[in-house]
Amino acid sequence: MSRRIILAALAFVWLAAAAPEQRRIVLAATPIARLDLPWWRARFEKKAAELRKAPIDLVFYGDSITADYERAGPEPWRDFAPIWQHYYGTRNAINLGFKGDTTASLLWRITHGEASGIAPKVAVVLIGANNLGRLHWSAEDTIAGIAADVAALRERLPKTHILLLGILPSDRSAWASATTIIINHALAERYRAASMVTFLDLSEVFVKNGALDRSLFLDPLLTPPEPPLHPNAEGQRRMAAAMEPTLARLLAQ
């Protein structure tokens, strides 16, 4: 083997060893917009206008479960608006729930204006359910995505206390149910000692006799019926009631 080939081989090995390790891109923790969807773009613009109308003391970030608070029937099981009015109607609150959003889409919204020009006392975050649906993102990636959302809010809203809710239980698959538990346990541990982040797992609200209480979900009532994922009005009411003592304490602070 010639000296030139040996030197070239040694140089290649040295460069390979010196090159930084290429990190895997975690999509769940990467800002991803959904502006290609006309309804999503319209809602984003509408909410941007609402955010400019001060004051805002309480903001809800989330997906369709949060967005459902804006529904007003006609069926009693999806008449959510009275629940919002009862608990949050006099608290200068804004609903930033977007149907189908993942941790990545919420991260894009946070970094593109939904945490700018406001100084709420409390921000409620409920996100991650859609990570475990069609996308099938792992527990590790979803935890990273939720942590990225919280970090982005902390950076932009340093005086706002974040009430981070655990992913709600569902009956979509054994994998989704097991992954939900893993994520919630990890989040509880991660934010146990955080001074401006309170983690609250509301799973027990939707459990009866050790099993998921399907009567608290609207999906089985659809045509055709779907697996339990979204709380119905009664489920949402119980969730708001369970959250109220913690939320009231944080708002008072």
Side-chain angles (χ1 to χ4, degrees):
M1 185 180 292
S2 71
R3 179 182 176 82
R4 180 179 296 177
I5 294 176
I6 293 174
L7 289 175
L10 289 173
F12 177 81
V13 171
W14 181 84
L15 288 172
E21 182 180 353
Q22 190 172 14
R23 294 184 178 179
R24 180 176 68 91
I25 296 176
V26 179
L27 292 178
T30 303
I32 301 176
R34 302 172 68 201
L35 295 170
D36 56 313
L37 301 174
W39 73 263
W40 196 92
R41 178 190 289 271
R43 183 170 176 81
F44 179 74
E45 294 173 350
K46 177 176 179 289
K47 291 300 177 180
E50 289 182 24
L51 285 167
R52 292 192 292 269
K53 299 177 181 178
I56 293 174
D57 293 326
L58 176 60
V59 56
F60 285 75
Y61 294 99
D63 49 35
S64 57
I65 296 174
T66 298
D68 277 347
Y69 274 120
E70 296 179 353
R71 284 186 170 190
E75 302 91 342
W77 48 272
R78 52 180 164 196
D79 189 16
F80 299 91
I83 303 168
W84 176 273
Q85 182 59 35
H86 175 77
Y87 284 97
Y88 315 120
T90 60
R91 284 173 158 171
N92 296 324
I94 183 170
N95 184 331
L96 298 180
F98 282 60
K99 179 181 178 181
D101 267 15
T102 63
T103 54
S105 299
L106 175 56
L107 185 58
W108 188 92
R109 290 194 280 124
I110 292 171
T111 57
H112 285 76
E114 285 197 348
S116 302
I118 59 174
K121 297 177 181 177
V122 178
V124 179
V125 179
L126 175 57
I127 198 68
N130 291 312
N131 290 35
L132 311 183
R134 178 177 54 84
L135 294 170
H136 221 69
W137 284 341
S138 68
E140 180 184 6
D141 285 5
T142 298
I143 293 165
I146 294 173
D149 290 336
V150 171
L153 288 173
R154 291 289 300 118
E155 178 182 354
R156 291 161 177 79
L157 304 173
K159 296 183 179 180
T160 298
H161 200 108
I162 296 172
L163 177 54
L164 175 62
L165 303 181
I167 298 177
L168 302 185
S170 65
D171 195 17
R172 291 174 285 177
S173 69
W175 175 84
S177 297
T179 304
T180 295
I181 294 173
I182 293 171
I183 291 169
N184 288 345
H185 284 175
L187 293 174
E189 185 61 30
R190 184 185 189 101
Y191 295 107
R192 187 180 306 279
S195 61
M196 293 296 286
V197 181
T198 297
F199 176 77
L200 184 62
D201 188 351
L202 300 175
S203 297
E204 289 302 314
V205 171
F206 299 95
V207 174
K208 183 178 181 180
N209 298 326
L212 190 70
D213 188 349
R214 297 173 65 91
S215 70
L216 297 178
F217 293 85
L218 62 83
D219 311 87
L221 300 173
L222 301 175
T223 305
E226 297 179 5
L229 172 61
H230 302 86
N232 57 24
E234 176 59 19
Q236 204 94 330
R237 184 195 65 76
R238 294 189 188 188
M239 182 171 69
M243 184 172 64
E244 179 58 24
T246 302
L247 181 60
R249 173 175 58 83
L250 296 176
L251 286 170
Q253 288 180 346

